[in-house]
Amino acid sequence: MPISGDQLLAVLAALASPQRLRIIAALKSDGRNYVSQLAREVGISRPLLHLHLQKLEEAGLVTSQLELSGDGKALNYFEVADFDFELTPSAIVKAARSLAASSTRSQPMKGVHDV
């Protein structure tokens, strides 16, 4: 099933960060991991990692599962979701046709000011 326009925008936005690419690479290379360990591996703070993981999870690129450790601590484990997207001009045309009305309105670009 082809990806919808809104899904494509979410995926592209989620992947538009070097930190998020490193997170996906770490999870794919080392397998599922909990937040504290993953934060140490990618070299960022846990709060920042949580923000990145939330964006990746919303885009369907990672999944999470809350588990209890042997000593009763709650650990949130993340792993890479099984995704496969084809990004071609034809796929973009199909995705654009399915954009939600709120996605098709012109939005000012962030950081661009009138001169």
Side-chain angles (χ1 to χ4, degrees), residues 41-110:
E41 286 181 17
V42 296
I44 61 176
S45 69
R46 286 183 305 172
L48 182 56
L49 178 60
H50 272 286
L51 292 173
H52 286 306
L53 287 168
Q54 180 181 4
K55 187 84 166 175
L56 290 167
E57 193 168 21
E58 288 170 358
L61 301 173
V62 300
T63 60
S64 67
Q65 183 173 349
L66 195 59
E67 296 180 14
L68 290 178
S69 67
D71 60 358
K73 291 182 183 176
L75 298 174
N76 200 6
Y77 281 89
F78 285 85
E79 63 186 329
V80 175
D82 187 25
F83 64 87
D84 184 12
F85 302 103
E86 182 178 27
L87 188 59
T88 63
S90 297
I92 291 171
V93 169
K94 289 176 187 171
R97 290 183 182 141
S98 70
L99 286 170
S102 61
S103 300
T104 58
R105 289 191 214 120
S106 292
Q107 307 249 343
M109 290 179 61
K110 291 181 182 177

Side-chain angles (χ1 to χ4, degrees), residues 3-59:
I3 190 169
S4 75
D6 294 318
Q7 289 171 318
L8 179 60
L9 289 175
V11 167
L12 292 176
L15 294 175
S17 161
Q19 292 289 11
R20 290 189 208 121
L21 291 178
R22 287 185 190 100
I23 292 165
I24 290 175
L27 288 171
K28 185 63 181 170
S29 298
D30 303 330
R32 73 186 208 119
N33 211 337
Y34 61 98
V35 171
S36 295
Q37 180 63 32
L38 185 57
R40 285 189 289 273
E41 286 181 17
V42 296
I44 61 176
S45 69
R46 286 183 305 172
L48 182 56
L49 178 60
H50 272 286
L51 292 173
H52 286 306
L53 287 168
Q54 180 181 4
K55 187 84 166 175
L56 290 167
E57 193 168 21
E58 288 170 358

